[in-house]
Amino acid sequence: MVKRILRKHKYPPVQGNAAAEPVLQQAKALGPLRKCGFDNIPSRSEMTQKLGRNDPCPCGSGKKYKHCCGRPEAPATPSADSHDGAVERAVSWLAQHHGKALAAALEEEIDGAAFGCFDDGDDDAAREAMAAIDDALWQQLQLNLAEWLLAEGDIKVKGENRRVADLLLGPGGPLLSMGQRAWLEQLAQRPLRLYDVTDVVPGTGITVCDALDTAQAPIVVTEREGSRSIRPGMQIGARVMAVTGGHQVSGAVYPFSMLSGRAMQEALRALLTQPSKHEEDNVLMIGLLIIKGWLAQYLRPAPLPSFVHGDTGEPLLFTTDHYEVQAWPALDAVLAAQPDVHGDRDVGWDRLIECEDGQTRAQATIAREPGGRRVSLLYKTAGLAEQGRLWFETLAGDSVKFLLREVSDPKGLLSHANPSKRAAAQAPSLPAGLDPGVLAEAIAGVVRRSYAHWADEPIPALNGQTPRQAIASAAGLERVKGLLRSYEDGEAQQAGQQGRREISYQFLWDALGLAR
């Protein structure tokens, strides 16, 4: 497919999937992976045309290719224990000794990833989508899959499939220092996994947690360039390598958007519900699924994740009933008399229920609306809304008058959202005439009410555990802190766009007794 596409299109820079633009920017900012030794990977034009040694050099110097960029350079000699140049030497050796097989394998991997994004077998859609990707993504795709070949791929040598790692590390392979050999051996052993980014120190590194194995301890990864653009709450596919004094990523990184990342996590968990008897097959399938999911977010709209209520199992459907208050003293009195209702007119009320896991959570949240003449009741599912309306109207009687019901479907909101960079820059702006201080106070009230019982509510990102339950383990503690950092990071961005003060989430840290 790659060759057919390349013959058909001239490839001017074009826009791809708008939803993936921010993710591609993250990928670009992770640092040029050619530093990792992939200088010998052919460019898009090189995939279709073999450059002769006597042809003019494409760099524009006016010299022949063999006397310019095509002139072999003496490789730098690293120290014996350094892995510098390991991948470069491996790719150079493969290109020299198995060039056609390497190119064919890389093309096959690209085809497989592209066609795999369209499970309905729509080959025309796959070709059209691949023809529309820009050069930056094309290069990133080649670099990522080239590393995949070095770590886990096969090429055909004399009609027989041979694992690339075995060719490189076996008899007759390239001359390697001890450090380079150790790096390639580790690359072949380290699986490609999905990670949650829980902490970022710009210019220094990141902390990641395995997105599938929630019992795994957090890992601090040295990542100077990528840490300047990665944010808490992101998910990335990567191989985490052990180095002297810590860890670092191998080179290829697969950043996911929020929607694509959660969908990928669901897909991987579904895969592991019926694992293979052979662990190496599971490792292989997880890696291939990560590659396919990473590429798919550029080629087709991201699948929307499922949103369900942690207690009832119902789909989330945020429902708000609005009432005009006819008699405040009567309403205050009946709410105060209910043993399962807590709060007052100033801070709002919560109707609490005891759940099967022994935790107490809000079934309905009641808030006084601005102006003091109305109240609103917020429910998280359609079932809770129907039960709650009957309960409230029977209880309040003539002290309130029903006005209207608003329903917000999380999936609907996400499907109609425009995730392009232009929309992201314009949407959060402050409405004309609205005082930033007033807006900040209103948002602070909403945040307080929305997260009032957060510490004891099941969180999908915590594998269904409540934050209070999760912090019992080191891995769970870091995941909870990562969630809080992601909330704060999102709030900081929104506050800056709206020109208002940031709303503090310190009350959530305090509720769990956590130190930063």
Side-chain angles (χ1 to χ4, degrees), residues 2-35:
V2 174
K3 289 182 178 178
R4 291 194 294 272
I5 291 175
L6 292 170
R7 293 188 185 114
K8 184 177 180 181
H9 296 275
K10 298 298 182 182
Y11 283 112
V14 293
Q15 290 286 59
N17 185 348
E21 289 178 12
V23 189
L24 182 55
Q25 296 306 315
Q26 298 282 3
K28 293 175 183 176
L30 288 175
L33 295 184
R34 286 187 181 271
K35 289 182 180 178

Side-chain angles (χ1 to χ4, degrees), residues 110-277:
I110 293 175
D111 276 1
F115 281 116
C117 295
F118 294 81
D119 296 329
D120 50 9
D122 192 342
D123 292 355
D124 290 338
R127 294 187 183 94
E128 183 178 351
M130 281 293 289
I133 67 175
D134 62 23
D135 288 332
L137 178 58
W138 175 257
Q139 183 186 57
Q140 188 76 24
L141 175 62
Q142 291 183 89
L143 297 177
N144 284 0
L145 290 180
E147 184 184 276
W148 169 264
L149 282 174
L150 295 186
E152 302 186 55
D154 298 327
I155 62 174
K156 186 159 288 188
V157 178
K158 296 180 179 180
E160 180 183 354
N161 284 331
R162 298 284 305 278
R163 189 179 180 192
V164 173
D166 293 340
L167 290 171
L168 294 172
L169 299 171
L175 182 63
L176 301 166
S177 69
M178 289 186 297
Q180 291 172 338
R181 174 172 292 274
W183 182 262
L184 293 177
E185 288 175 345
Q186 187 180 178
L187 188 67
Q189 295 167 0
R190 295 282 176 169
L192 178 58
R193 299 284 294 181
L194 184 68
Y195 292 97
D196 295 307
V197 178
T198 59
D199 196 14
V200 177
V201 180
T204 301
I206 61 177
T207 302
V208 298
C209 291
D210 194 294
L212 297 180
D213 189 349
T214 56
Q216 285 290 329
I219 304 172
V220 178
V221 178
T222 301
E223 179 54 60
R224 291 181 176 84
E225 293 300 322
S227 62
R228 301 182 191 279
S229 59
I230 293 177
R231 313 192 78 88
M234 281 185 64
Q235 291 182 303
I236 60 172
R239 298 178 196 274
V240 176
M241 308 281 281
V243 295
T244 302
H247 297 85
Q248 69 181 59
V249 295
S250 60
V253 179
Y254 302 81
F256 285 88
S257 68
M258 182 191 72
L259 288 181
S260 295
R262 295 305 170 193
M264 172 52 51
Q265 191 169 358
E266 288 185 8
L268 291 173
R269 284 177 175 165
L271 174 68
L272 294 179
T273 58
Q274 295 180 319
S276 168
K277 295 180 180 179

